[in-house]
Coordinates of all heavy atoms in Angstrom, one line a residue:
M1 N -10.9 19.5 -1.8 CA -11.4 18.8 -0.6 C -10.7 17.5 -0.5 O -10.6 16.7 -1.5 CB -12.9 18.6 -0.8 CG -13.6 17.9 0.4 SD -15.4 17.8 0.2 CE -15.8 19.5 0.7
S2 N -10.1 17.2 0.6 CA -9.3 15.9 0.7 C -10.3 14.8 1.1 O -11.4 15.0 1.5 CB -8.3 16.1 1.8 OG -8.9 16.1 3.1
A3 N -9.7 13.6 0.9 CA -10.5 12.4 1.2 C -10.9 12.3 2.7 O -12.0 11.8 3.0 CB -9.7 11.1 0.9
E4 N -10.1 12.9 3.5 CA -10.4 12.9 5.0 C -11.6 13.7 5.3 O -12.2 13.5 6.4 CB -9.2 13.4 5.8 CG -8.0 12.5 5.8 CD -7.2 12.6 4.5 OE1 -7.2 13.7 3.8 OE2 -6.5 11.6 4.1
Q5 N -12.0 14.7 4.4 CA -13.1 15.5 4.7 C -14.5 14.8 4.4 O -15.5 15.3 4.8 CB -13.0 16.8 3.9 CG -11.9 17.7 4.4 CD -11.7 18.9 3.5 OE1 -11.3 18.8 2.3 NE2 -12.1 20.0 4.0
F6 N -14.4 13.6 3.7 CA -15.6 12.9 3.5 C -15.8 11.8 4.6 O -14.9 11.0 4.8 CB -15.5 12.1 2.1 CG -15.6 13.0 0.9 CD1 -14.4 13.4 0.3 CD2 -16.8 13.4 0.5 CE1 -14.5 14.2 -0.8 CE2 -16.9 14.2 -0.7 CZ -15.7 14.6 -1.3
E7 N -16.9 11.9 5.3 CA -17.1 10.9 6.3 C -17.5 9.6 5.6 O -17.1 8.5 6.1 CB -18.3 11.3 7.2 CG -17.9 12.3 8.2 CD -19.0 12.6 9.2 OE1 -19.7 11.6 9.5 OE2 -19.1 13.7 9.7
H8 N -18.2 9.6 4.5 CA -18.7 8.4 3.9 C -18.4 8.5 2.4 O -19.4 8.8 1.6 CB -20.1 8.2 4.2 CG -20.4 8.0 5.6 ND1 -20.0 6.9 6.4 CD2 -21.0 8.8 6.5 CE1 -20.4 7.1 7.6 NE2 -21.0 8.2 7.7
P9 N -17.2 8.4 1.9 CA -17.0 8.5 0.5 C -17.8 7.4 -0.3 O -17.9 6.3 0.2 CB -15.5 8.3 0.4 CG -15.1 7.6 1.6 CD -16.0 8.0 2.7
D10 N -18.2 7.8 -1.4 CA -19.0 6.9 -2.2 C -18.1 5.9 -3.1 O -18.5 4.9 -3.5 CB -19.9 7.6 -3.2 CG -21.0 8.3 -2.4 OD1 -21.4 7.8 -1.3 OD2 -21.4 9.4 -2.8
V11 N -16.9 6.4 -3.4 CA -16.0 5.6 -4.2 C -14.6 5.6 -3.6 O -14.1 6.7 -3.3 CB -15.9 6.2 -5.7 CG1 -14.9 5.4 -6.5 CG2 -17.2 6.3 -6.3
V12 N -14.0 4.4 -3.4 CA -12.7 4.3 -2.9 C -11.9 3.4 -3.8 O -12.3 2.2 -4.1 CB -12.7 3.7 -1.5 CG1 -11.2 3.5 -1.0 CG2 -13.4 4.6 -0.5
L13 N -10.8 3.9 -4.4 CA -9.9 3.0 -5.2 C -8.9 2.4 -4.3 O -8.1 3.1 -3.7 CB -9.3 3.9 -6.3 CG -10.3 4.5 -7.3 CD1 -9.5 5.4 -8.3 CD2 -11.2 3.5 -8.0
C14 N -8.8 1.1 -4.2 CA -7.8 0.4 -3.4 C -6.6 0.2 -4.3 O -6.7 -0.4 -5.4 CB -8.4 -0.9 -2.9 SG -9.9 -0.8 -2.0
P15 N -5.4 0.6 -3.8 CA -4.2 0.4 -4.6 C -4.0 -1.1 -4.9 O -4.1 -2.0 -4.1 CB -3.1 0.9 -3.6 CG -3.8 1.8 -2.7 CD -5.2 1.2 -2.5
D16 N -3.8 -1.4 -6.2 CA -3.7 -2.8 -6.7 C -4.8 -3.7 -6.3 O -4.7 -4.9 -6.2 CB -2.4 -3.4 -6.2 CG -1.1 -2.6 -6.7 OD1 -1.1 -2.3 -7.9 OD2 -0.3 -2.4 -5.9
G17 N -6.0 -3.1 -6.1 CA -7.2 -3.8 -5.7 C -8.5 -3.3 -6.3 O -8.4 -2.6 -7.4
P18 N -9.6 -3.6 -5.7 CA -10.9 -3.2 -6.3 C -11.2 -1.8 -6.1 O -10.6 -1.0 -5.4 CB -11.8 -4.1 -5.5 CG -11.2 -4.3 -4.2 CD -9.7 -4.3 -4.5
M19 N -12.4 -1.4 -6.7 CA -13.0 -0.1 -6.5 C -14.2 -0.4 -5.5 O -15.1 -1.2 -5.9 CB -13.5 0.5 -7.8 CG -14.3 1.7 -7.6 SD -14.7 2.5 -9.2 CE -15.5 1.2 -10.1
L20 N -14.2 0.2 -4.4 CA -15.3 0.1 -3.5 C -16.4 1.1 -3.7 O -16.0 2.3 -3.8 CB -14.8 0.2 -2.0 CG -13.7 -0.8 -1.6 CD1 -13.3 -0.5 -0.1 CD2 -14.1 -2.2 -1.8
L21 N -17.6 0.7 -3.9 CA -18.7 1.6 -4.1 C -19.7 1.5 -3.0 O -20.1 0.4 -2.6 CB -19.4 1.2 -5.4 CG -18.6 1.2 -6.7 CD1 -19.4 0.8 -7.9 CD2 -18.1 2.7 -7.0
R22 N -20.1 2.6 -2.5 CA -21.0 2.7 -1.4 C -22.3 3.3 -1.8 O -22.3 4.3 -2.5 CB -20.4 3.5 -0.2 CG -21.4 3.6 1.0 CD -20.9 4.7 1.9 NE -19.5 4.6 2.3 CZ -19.1 3.9 3.3 NH1 -19.9 3.3 4.1 NH2 -17.8 3.9 3.6
G23 N -23.4 2.7 -1.4 CA -24.7 3.3 -1.7 C -25.2 3.2 -3.1 O -26.0 4.0 -3.5
V24 N -24.7 2.2 -3.9 CA -25.2 2.1 -5.3 C -26.2 0.9 -5.3 O -26.2 0.0 -4.5 CB -24.1 1.8 -6.3 CG1 -23.1 3.0 -6.3 CG2 -23.3 0.6 -6.0
D25 N -27.1 1.0 -6.2 CA -28.1 -0.1 -6.3 C -27.9 -1.0 -7.6 O -28.5 -2.0 -7.8 CB -29.5 0.3 -6.2 CG -29.9 1.5 -7.2 OD1 -29.2 1.6 -8.2 OD2 -30.8 2.2 -6.9
S26 N -26.9 -0.5 -8.5 CA -26.6 -1.3 -9.6 C -25.2 -0.9 -10.2 O -24.8 0.2 -9.9 CB -27.7 -1.3 -10.7 OG -27.8 0.1 -11.2
V27 N -24.6 -1.8 -10.9 CA -23.4 -1.6 -11.6 C -23.5 -2.1 -13.0 O -24.0 -3.2 -13.2 CB -22.2 -2.3 -10.9 CG1 -20.9 -2.2 -11.7 CG2 -21.9 -1.6 -9.5
Q28 N -23.1 -1.2 -14.0 CA -23.2 -1.6 -15.4 C -21.8 -2.0 -15.9 O -20.9 -1.2 -15.7 CB -23.8 -0.5 -16.2 CG -23.9 -0.9 -17.7 CD -24.7 0.1 -18.5 OE1 -25.1 1.2 -18.0 NE2 -24.8 -0.1 -19.8
D29 N -21.6 -3.2 -16.4 CA -20.3 -3.6 -16.9 C -20.0 -3.1 -18.3 O -20.9 -2.4 -18.9 CB -20.1 -5.1 -16.8 CG -21.0 -5.9 -17.7 OD1 -21.5 -5.4 -18.7 OD2 -21.2 -7.1 -17.4
A30 N -18.8 -3.4 -18.8 CA -18.4 -2.9 -20.1 C -19.3 -3.4 -21.3 O -19.4 -2.7 -22.3 CB -17.0 -3.2 -20.4
D31 N -20.0 -4.5 -21.1 CA -20.8 -5.1 -22.1 C -22.2 -4.5 -22.0 O -23.1 -4.8 -22.9 CB -21.0 -6.6 -21.9 CG -19.6 -7.3 -22.1 OD1 -18.8 -6.8 -22.9 OD2 -19.4 -8.4 -21.5
G32 N -22.5 -3.7 -21.0 CA -23.8 -3.0 -20.9 C -24.7 -3.8 -20.0 O -25.9 -3.4 -19.7
T33 N -24.3 -4.9 -19.4 CA -25.1 -5.7 -18.5 C -25.2 -5.0 -17.2 O -24.1 -4.6 -16.6 CB -24.5 -7.1 -18.3 OG1 -24.4 -7.7 -19.6 CG2 -25.3 -7.9 -17.4
V34 N -26.4 -4.9 -16.6 CA -26.6 -4.2 -15.4 C -26.6 -5.3 -14.3 O -27.4 -6.3 -14.4 CB -27.9 -3.4 -15.4 CG1 -28.1 -2.8 -14.0 CG2 -27.8 -2.3 -16.4
H35 N -25.8 -5.1 -13.2 CA -25.8 -6.1 -12.1 C -26.4 -5.4 -10.9 O -25.9 -4.3 -10.5 CB -24.3 -6.5 -11.8 CG -23.6 -7.1 -13.0 ND1 -23.6 -8.4 -13.2 CD2 -23.0 -6.5 -14.1 CE1 -22.9 -8.7 -14.3 NE2 -22.5 -7.5 -14.9
A36 N -27.4 -6.0 -10.3 CA -28.0 -5.5 -9.2 C -27.1 -5.6 -7.9 O -26.4 -6.5 -7.8 CB -29.3 -6.2 -8.9
V37 N -27.2 -4.6 -7.1 CA -26.4 -4.6 -5.8 C -27.4 -4.6 -4.7 O -28.3 -3.8 -4.6 CB -25.5 -3.3 -5.8 CG1 -24.9 -3.1 -4.4 CG2 -24.5 -3.3 -6.9
D38 N -27.1 -5.5 -3.7 CA -28.0 -5.6 -2.6 C -27.2 -5.5 -1.3 O -27.7 -5.9 -0.2 CB -28.8 -6.9 -2.6 CG -27.9 -8.1 -2.6 OD1 -26.7 -8.0 -2.6 OD2 -28.4 -9.3 -2.7
R39 N -26.0 -4.9 -1.4 CA -25.2 -4.6 -0.2 C -24.9 -3.1 0.0 O -24.9 -2.4 -1.0 CB -23.8 -5.3 -0.3 CG -23.9 -6.8 -0.5 CD -22.5 -7.3 -0.8 NE -22.5 -8.8 -0.8 CZ -21.4 -9.5 -0.7 NH1 -20.2 -8.9 -0.7 NH2 -21.4 -10.8 -0.8
P40 N -24.6 -2.7 1.2 CA -24.3 -1.3 1.3 C -23.0 -0.9 0.6 O -22.8 0.2 0.2 CB -24.1 -1.1 2.8 CG -24.5 -2.4 3.5 CD -24.7 -3.4 2.4
V41 N -22.0 -1.8 0.6 CA -20.7 -1.6 -0.1 C -20.4 -2.8 -1.0 O -20.6 -3.9 -0.5 CB -19.6 -1.3 0.9 CG1 -18.2 -1.1 0.2 CG2 -19.9 -0.2 1.8
V42 N -20.0 -2.5 -2.2 CA -19.5 -3.6 -3.1 C -18.1 -3.3 -3.6 O -17.7 -2.2 -3.7 CB -20.5 -3.9 -4.2 CG1 -21.8 -4.4 -3.8 CG2 -20.7 -2.6 -5.1
A43 N -17.4 -4.4 -3.9 CA -16.0 -4.3 -4.4 C -16.1 -4.7 -5.9 O -16.4 -5.8 -6.2 CB -15.1 -5.2 -3.7
V44 N -15.8 -3.7 -6.8 CA -15.8 -4.0 -8.2 C -14.3 -4.3 -8.6 O -13.4 -3.5 -8.3 CB -16.3 -2.8 -9.0 CG1 -16.2 -3.0 -10.5 CG2 -17.7 -2.5 -8.6
C45 N -14.1 -5.4 -9.3 CA -12.8 -5.8 -9.8 C -12.2 -4.8 -10.8 O -12.9 -4.4 -11.7 CB -12.9 -7.2 -10.4 SG -11.3 -7.8 -11.1
R46 N -11.0 -4.5 -10.6 CA -10.2 -3.6 -11.5 C -9.1 -4.3 -12.2 O -8.6 -3.8 -13.2 CB -9.7 -2.4 -10.8 CG -10.7 -1.4 -10.3 CD -10.2 -0.1 -9.9 NE -9.2 -0.2 -8.9 CZ -8.2 0.7 -8.8 NH1 -8.0 1.7 -9.7 NH2 -7.3 0.6 -7.9
C47 N -8.8 -5.5 -11.8 CA -7.7 -6.3 -12.4 C -8.2 -7.2 -13.5 O -7.4 -7.7 -14.3 CB -6.9 -7.1 -11.4 SG -7.8 -8.6 -10.8
L48 N -9.5 -7.4 -13.6 CA -10.1 -8.2 -14.6 C -9.7 -9.7 -14.5 O -9.9 -10.4 -15.5 CB -9.9 -7.7 -16.0 CG -10.3 -6.2 -16.3 CD1 -10.0 -5.8 -17.7 CD2 -11.8 -6.0 -16.0
K49 N -9.2 -10.1 -13.4 CA -8.8 -11.5 -13.2 C -9.8 -12.3 -12.3 O -9.7 -13.5 -12.1 CB -7.4 -11.6 -12.6 CG -6.3 -10.9 -13.4 CD -6.1 -11.5 -14.7 CE -4.9 -10.9 -15.4 NZ -4.8 -11.3 -16.8
S50 N -10.8 -11.6 -11.8 CA -11.8 -12.2 -10.9 C -12.6 -13.3 -11.7 O -12.9 -13.1 -12.8 CB -12.7 -11.2 -10.3 OG -13.8 -11.8 -9.6
S51 N -12.9 -14.4 -11.0 CA -13.8 -15.4 -11.6 C -15.3 -15.0 -11.4 O -16.2 -15.7 -11.8 CB -13.6 -16.7 -11.0 OG -13.8 -16.7 -9.6
R52 N -15.5 -13.9 -10.7 CA -16.9 -13.4 -10.5 C -17.1 -12.0 -11.0 O -17.8 -11.2 -10.4 CB -17.2 -13.4 -9.0 CG -16.9 -14.6 -8.2 CD -17.2 -14.5 -6.7 NE -18.4 -13.7 -6.4 CZ -18.4 -12.6 -5.7 NH1 -17.3 -12.1 -5.2 NH2 -19.6 -12.0 -5.5
L53 N -16.5 -11.7 -12.1 CA -16.7 -10.3 -12.7 C -18.1 -9.9 -12.8 O -19.0 -10.8 -13.1 CB -16.0 -10.2 -14.1 CG -14.5 -10.2 -14.1 CD1 -14.0 -10.4 -15.5 CD2 -13.9 -9.0 -13.4
P54 N -18.5 -8.7 -12.4 CA -17.7 -7.6 -12.2 C -17.2 -7.5 -10.8 O -16.5 -6.5 -10.4 CB -18.6 -6.4 -12.6 CG -19.9 -6.8 -12.1 CD -19.9 -8.3 -12.4
W55 N -17.4 -8.5 -9.9 CA -17.1 -8.3 -8.5 C -15.7 -8.8 -8.2 O -15.2 -9.8 -8.8 CB -18.1 -9.1 -7.6 CG -19.5 -8.8 -8.0 CD1 -20.4 -9.8 -8.4 CD2 -20.2 -7.6 -8.1 NE1 -21.6 -9.2 -8.7 CE2 -21.5 -7.8 -8.5 CE3 -19.8 -6.3 -7.9 CZ2 -22.4 -6.8 -8.8 CZ3 -20.7 -5.2 -8.1 CH2 -22.0 -5.5 -8.5
C56 N -15.0 -8.2 -7.3 CA -13.7 -8.7 -6.9 C -13.9 -10.0 -6.0 O -14.7 -10.1 -5.2 CB -13.1 -7.6 -6.0 SG -11.6 -8.1 -5.1
D57 N -13.0 -11.0 -6.3 CA -13.0 -12.2 -5.6 C -11.7 -12.4 -4.8 O -11.5 -13.5 -4.3 CB -13.3 -13.4 -6.4 CG -12.2 -13.7 -7.4 OD1 -11.2 -13.0 -7.5 OD2 -12.4 -14.8 -8.1
G58 N -10.9 -11.4 -4.8 CA -9.6 -11.5 -4.1 C -8.4 -12.0 -4.9 O -7.3 -12.0 -4.4
T59 N -8.7 -12.3 -6.2 CA -7.6 -12.8 -7.0 C -6.5 -11.8 -7.2 O -5.3 -12.2 -7.3 CB -8.2 -13.2 -8.4 OG1 -9.2 -14.3 -8.2 CG2 -7.1 -13.7 -9.3
H60 N -6.8 -10.5 -7.1 CA -5.8 -9.5 -7.3 C -4.7 -9.6 -6.3 O -3.5 -9.2 -6.6 CB -6.4 -8.1 -7.2 CG -7.0 -7.8 -5.8 ND1 -8.2 -8.1 -5.4 CD2 -6.3 -7.3 -4.7 CE1 -8.4 -7.7 -4.2 NE2 -7.3 -7.3 -3.7
K61 N -4.9 -10.3 -5.2 CA -3.9 -10.4 -4.2 C -2.8 -11.4 -4.6 O -1.7 -11.3 -4.0 CB -4.5 -11.0 -2.9 CG -5.5 -10.0 -2.2 CD -6.2 -10.6 -1.0 CE -7.3 -9.7 -0.5 NZ -8.1 -10.3 0.5
V62 N -3.0 -12.3 -5.6 CA -2.0 -13.2 -6.0 C -1.4 -12.8 -7.3 O -0.5 -13.5 -7.8 CB -2.6 -14.6 -6.1 CG1 -3.1 -15.1 -4.8 CG2 -3.7 -14.7 -7.2
I63 N -1.7 -11.6 -7.9 CA -1.2 -11.1 -9.1 C 0.0 -10.3 -8.7 O -0.1 -9.4 -7.9 CB -2.2 -10.3 -9.9 CG1 -3.4 -11.2 -10.3 CG2 -1.5 -9.7 -11.1 CD1 -4.5 -10.4 -10.9
P64 N 1.2 -10.5 -9.4 CA 2.4 -9.7 -9.1 C 2.0 -8.2 -9.5 O 1.4 -8.0 -10.5 CB 3.5 -10.3 -10.0 CG 3.0 -11.6 -10.3 CD 1.5 -11.6 -10.3
R65 N 2.5 -7.3 -8.7 CA 2.3 -5.9 -9.0 C 2.8 -5.5 -10.4 O 3.8 -6.0 -10.8 CB 3.0 -5.0 -8.0 CG 2.3 -5.0 -6.7 CD 3.1 -4.1 -5.7 NE 2.2 -4.0 -4.5 CZ 2.1 -2.9 -3.8 NH1 2.7 -1.8 -4.2 NH2 1.3 -2.8 -2.8
G66 N 2.0 -4.7 -11.1 CA 2.4 -4.3 -12.4 C 1.8 -5.2 -13.5 O 2.0 -5.0 -14.7
H67 N 1.1 -6.3 -13.1 CA 0.6 -7.2 -14.1 C -0.9 -7.2 -14.1 O -1.6 -8.1 -14.6 CB 1.1 -8.7 -13.8 CG 2.5 -8.8 -14.1 ND1 3.5 -8.4 -13.2 CD2 3.1 -9.3 -15.2 CE1 4.7 -8.7 -13.8 NE2 4.5 -9.2 -15.0
S68 N -1.6 -6.3 -13.4 CA -3.0 -6.3 -13.4 C -3.6 -5.4 -14.5 O -2.9 -4.8 -15.2 CB -3.5 -5.7 -12.0 OG -3.0 -4.4 -11.8
Ligands
LIG1 S1 -9.5 -6.4 -8.1 FE1 -9.8 -8.1 -6.8 S2 -10.0 -9.7 -8.1 FE2 -9.7 -8.1 -9.5

């Protein structure tokens, strides 16, 4: 099944960017801490450079490719 067949995918991996999650009510980080989600879609940082981990704050945009 291709991505185009999903009208509302629950997980989207952005190239060199965050992971977008739709319809979740919490996210558990690597330390086991559970972060409540109160939005329909949240962006989880994958570069680990965000100052608001586990959430993406846009810092990935200033990181040279291949260094995330
Ligand atoms: S993915 Fe956006 S700050 Fe890390």
Side-chain angles (χ1 to χ4, degrees):
M1 184 175 282
S2 72
E4 290 79 26
Q5 292 176 290
F6 288 99
E7 281 189 33
H8 301 288
D10 293 326
V11 179
V12 175
L13 299 179
C14 301
D16 298 315
M19 172 174 58
L20 304 180
L21 299 177
R22 180 195 308 271
V24 299
D25 51 23
S26 65
V27 169
Q28 183 174 358
D29 66 22
D31 296 330
T33 303
V34 176
H35 301 267
V37 171
D38 57 3
R39 299 174 176 195
V41 178
V42 290
V44 176
C45 176
R46 293 195 301 148
C47 73
L48 303 179
K49 304 296 186 190
S50 173
S51 63
R52 303 177 46 236
L53 288 172
W55 315 123
C56 169
D57 68 355
T59 300
H60 65 271
K61 296 175 186 172
V62 299
I63 299 172
R65 287 182 170 219
H67 289 81
S68 59

